[in-house]
Short mmCIF file of all heavy atoms in Angstrom, two decimals:
data_model
loop_
_atom_site.label_atom_id
_atom_site.label_comp_id
_atom_site.label_asym_id
_atom_site.label_seq_id
_atom_site.Cartn_x
_atom_site.Cartn_y
_atom_site.Cartn_z
N PRO D 53 49.63 89.67 0.55
CA PRO D 53 49.29 88.28 0.20
C PRO D 53 49.08 87.44 1.45
O PRO D 53 49.81 87.58 2.44
CB PRO D 53 50.51 87.81 -0.60
CG PRO D 53 51.16 89.07 -1.09
CD PRO D 53 50.91 90.11 -0.04
N MET D 54 48.10 86.55 1.41
CA MET D 54 47.77 85.76 2.57
C MET D 54 48.92 84.89 3.05
O MET D 54 49.12 84.70 4.25
CB MET D 54 46.56 84.87 2.26
CG MET D 54 45.22 85.60 2.29
SD MET D 54 44.73 86.05 3.96
CE MET D 54 44.52 84.44 4.71
N HIS D 55 49.71 84.34 2.13
CA HIS D 55 50.76 83.40 2.52
C HIS D 55 51.92 84.08 3.24
O HIS D 55 52.79 83.40 3.78
CB HIS D 55 51.27 82.63 1.30
CG HIS D 55 51.98 83.50 0.29
ND1 HIS D 55 51.31 84.18 -0.70
CD2 HIS D 55 53.29 83.79 0.13
CE1 HIS D 55 52.18 84.84 -1.44
NE2 HIS D 55 53.38 84.63 -0.95
N THR D 56 51.96 85.41 3.27
CA THR D 56 53.02 86.11 3.99
C THR D 56 52.62 86.46 5.42
O THR D 56 53.44 86.99 6.16
CB THR D 56 53.40 87.41 3.25
OG1 THR D 56 52.28 88.31 3.27
CG2 THR D 56 53.79 87.13 1.81
N LEU D 57 51.38 86.18 5.80
CA LEU D 57 50.90 86.54 7.12
C LEU D 57 51.15 85.43 8.13
O LEU D 57 51.12 84.25 7.80
CB LEU D 57 49.40 86.84 7.07
CG LEU D 57 48.98 88.01 6.18
CD1 LEU D 57 47.46 88.09 6.08
CD2 LEU D 57 49.55 89.32 6.70
N THR D 58 51.40 85.85 9.37
CA THR D 58 51.56 84.89 10.46
C THR D 58 50.18 84.36 10.87
O THR D 58 49.25 85.14 11.05
CB THR D 58 52.23 85.57 11.67
OG1 THR D 58 53.48 86.12 11.27
CG2 THR D 58 52.44 84.57 12.79
N PRO D 59 50.03 83.04 11.00
CA PRO D 59 48.72 82.50 11.40
C PRO D 59 48.25 83.08 12.73
O PRO D 59 49.04 83.28 13.65
CB PRO D 59 49.00 80.99 11.52
CG PRO D 59 50.17 80.74 10.64
CD PRO D 59 51.02 81.97 10.72
N ASN D 60 46.96 83.38 12.80
CA ASN D 60 46.32 83.90 14.02
C ASN D 60 46.87 85.26 14.46
O ASN D 60 46.81 85.62 15.63
CB ASN D 60 46.48 82.91 15.18
CG ASN D 60 45.77 81.60 14.91
OD1 ASN D 60 44.70 81.56 14.33
ND2 ASN D 60 46.39 80.50 15.32
N SER D 61 47.39 86.03 13.51
CA SER D 61 47.87 87.38 13.82
C SER D 61 46.76 88.39 13.54
O SER D 61 45.75 88.07 12.92
CB SER D 61 49.11 87.71 13.00
OG SER D 61 48.81 87.67 11.60
N LEU D 62 46.96 89.62 14.00
CA LEU D 62 45.99 90.68 13.75
C LEU D 62 46.09 91.16 12.30
O LEU D 62 47.19 91.30 11.76
CB LEU D 62 46.23 91.86 14.69
CG LEU D 62 45.88 91.68 16.16
CD1 LEU D 62 46.20 92.97 16.93
CD2 LEU D 62 44.40 91.34 16.32
N VAL D 63 44.95 91.41 11.67
CA VAL D 63 44.92 91.95 10.32
C VAL D 63 43.83 93.00 10.22
O VAL D 63 42.93 93.08 11.07
CB VAL D 63 44.65 90.84 9.26
CG1 VAL D 63 45.78 89.84 9.22
CG2 VAL D 63 43.32 90.15 9.53
N ARG D 64 43.93 93.82 9.19
CA ARG D 64 42.87 94.78 8.86
C ARG D 64 42.22 94.35 7.54
O ARG D 64 42.80 93.61 6.76
CB ARG D 64 43.45 96.19 8.70
CG ARG D 64 43.96 96.81 9.98
CD ARG D 64 44.51 98.22 9.72
NE ARG D 64 45.69 98.18 8.85
CZ ARG D 64 45.85 98.91 7.76
NH1 ARG D 64 44.89 99.74 7.35
NH2 ARG D 64 46.96 98.83 7.05
N TYR D 65 41.02 94.87 7.31
CA TYR D 65 40.34 94.55 6.05
C TYR D 65 39.36 95.68 5.73
O TYR D 65 38.45 95.95 6.50
CB TYR D 65 39.61 93.22 6.17
CG TYR D 65 38.93 92.76 4.89
CD1 TYR D 65 39.58 92.83 3.66
CD2 TYR D 65 37.64 92.25 4.93
CE1 TYR D 65 38.96 92.40 2.50
CE2 TYR D 65 37.01 91.80 3.77
CZ TYR D 65 37.68 91.89 2.56
OH TYR D 65 37.07 91.46 1.40
N ARG D 66 39.56 96.34 4.62
CA ARG D 66 38.68 97.42 4.17
C ARG D 66 37.64 96.81 3.23
O ARG D 66 37.98 96.32 2.15
CB ARG D 66 39.51 98.49 3.44
CG ARG D 66 38.82 99.81 3.25
CD ARG D 66 39.76 100.85 2.64
NE ARG D 66 40.14 100.54 1.27
CZ ARG D 66 41.29 99.98 0.92
NH1 ARG D 66 42.17 99.65 1.83
NH2 ARG D 66 41.55 99.73 -0.36
N CYS D 67 36.38 96.83 3.62
CA CYS D 67 35.41 96.03 2.89
C CYS D 67 34.00 96.59 2.99
O CYS D 67 33.73 97.57 3.68
CB CYS D 67 35.42 94.60 3.44
SG CYS D 67 34.89 94.51 5.17
N MET D 68 33.10 95.92 2.29
CA MET D 68 31.67 96.17 2.37
C MET D 68 30.98 94.84 2.71
O MET D 68 31.36 93.79 2.20
CB MET D 68 31.12 96.67 1.02
CG MET D 68 29.63 96.98 1.05
SD MET D 68 28.93 97.29 -0.59
CE MET D 68 28.75 95.60 -1.21
N VAL D 69 30.00 94.90 3.60
CA VAL D 69 29.25 93.69 3.95
C VAL D 69 28.28 93.38 2.82
O VAL D 69 27.38 94.16 2.53
CB VAL D 69 28.49 93.88 5.27
CG1 VAL D 69 27.64 92.64 5.58
CG2 VAL D 69 29.46 94.15 6.42
N GLN D 70 28.49 92.24 2.17
CA GLN D 70 27.68 91.84 1.03
C GLN D 70 26.51 90.95 1.44
O GLN D 70 25.43 91.01 0.85
CB GLN D 70 28.56 91.11 0.00
CG GLN D 70 27.82 90.48 -1.16
CD GLN D 70 27.36 91.50 -2.19
OE1 GLN D 70 27.45 92.70 -1.95
NE2 GLN D 70 26.88 91.03 -3.33
N ASP D 71 26.72 90.14 2.46
CA ASP D 71 25.67 89.21 2.88
C ASP D 71 25.93 88.81 4.32
O ASP D 71 27.00 89.07 4.88
CB ASP D 71 25.67 87.97 1.97
CG ASP D 71 24.32 87.24 1.98
OD1 ASP D 71 23.46 87.61 2.80
OD2 ASP D 71 24.15 86.32 1.18
N MET D 72 24.95 88.18 4.95
CA MET D 72 25.11 87.67 6.30
C MET D 72 24.42 86.32 6.42
O MET D 72 23.42 86.05 5.76
CB MET D 72 24.54 88.67 7.32
CG MET D 72 23.07 88.98 7.17
SD MET D 72 22.54 90.36 8.22
CE MET D 72 22.94 89.72 9.83
N TYR D 73 25.01 85.48 7.27
CA TYR D 73 24.49 84.13 7.46
C TYR D 73 23.75 84.04 8.80
O TYR D 73 23.78 84.96 9.61
CB TYR D 73 25.64 83.12 7.42
CG TYR D 73 26.40 83.11 6.12
CD1 TYR D 73 27.66 83.69 6.03
CD2 TYR D 73 25.86 82.55 4.97
CE1 TYR D 73 28.37 83.70 4.83
CE2 TYR D 73 26.56 82.55 3.77
CZ TYR D 73 27.81 83.12 3.71
OH TYR D 73 28.49 83.13 2.53
N ASP D 74 23.11 82.88 9.00
CA ASP D 74 22.43 82.66 10.27
C ASP D 74 23.45 82.63 11.40
O ASP D 74 24.63 82.31 11.19
CB ASP D 74 21.68 81.32 10.23
CG ASP D 74 20.51 81.35 9.26
OD1 ASP D 74 19.99 82.45 9.00
OD2 ASP D 74 20.14 80.27 8.74
N PRO D 75 23.02 82.95 12.61
CA PRO D 75 23.95 82.91 13.75
C PRO D 75 24.61 81.54 13.89
O PRO D 75 24.00 80.51 13.64
CB PRO D 75 23.04 83.22 14.95
CG PRO D 75 21.92 84.02 14.37
CD PRO D 75 21.69 83.45 13.00
N GLU D 76 25.87 81.55 14.29
CA GLU D 76 26.66 80.33 14.45
C GLU D 76 26.86 80.04 15.93
O GLU D 76 27.25 80.91 16.69
CB GLU D 76 28.01 80.50 13.75
CG GLU D 76 29.00 79.38 13.98
CD GLU D 76 30.35 79.69 13.37
OE1 GLU D 76 30.49 79.59 12.14
OE2 GLU D 76 31.27 80.05 14.13
N ILE D 77 26.59 78.80 16.33
CA ILE D 77 26.81 78.38 17.71
C ILE D 77 28.23 77.83 17.83
O ILE D 77 28.66 77.01 17.00
CB ILE D 77 25.78 77.31 18.14
CG1 ILE D 77 24.35 77.84 17.92
CG2 ILE D 77 25.98 76.93 19.60
CD1 ILE D 77 24.02 79.08 18.70
N TYR D 78 28.96 78.24 18.84
CA TYR D 78 30.33 77.79 19.04
C TYR D 78 30.63 77.70 20.54
O TYR D 78 29.81 78.12 21.37
CB TYR D 78 31.32 78.74 18.36
CG TYR D 78 31.46 80.08 19.06
CD1 TYR D 78 32.58 80.36 19.86
CD2 TYR D 78 30.49 81.07 18.93
CE1 TYR D 78 32.71 81.58 20.51
CE2 TYR D 78 30.61 82.29 19.57
CZ TYR D 78 31.72 82.54 20.36
OH TYR D 78 31.85 83.74 21.00
N LEU D 79 31.78 77.16 20.89
CA LEU D 79 32.19 77.05 22.29
C LEU D 79 32.98 78.29 22.68
O LEU D 79 34.14 78.44 22.29
CB LEU D 79 33.04 75.78 22.50
CG LEU D 79 32.29 74.45 22.47
CD1 LEU D 79 33.27 73.29 22.60
CD2 LEU D 79 31.25 74.39 23.58
#
Side-chain angles (χ1 to χ4, degrees):
M54 282 289 295
H55 66 274
T56 65
L57 298 173
T58 303
N60 297 322
S61 61
L62 288 180
V63 295
R64 292 180 295 129
Y65 183 45
R66 196 174 67 260
C67 63
M68 181 190 79
V69 177
Q70 173 75 351
D71 202 352
M72 60 190 300
Y73 300 105
D74 293 334
E76 172 186 284
I77 305 299
Y78 72 103
L79 287 176

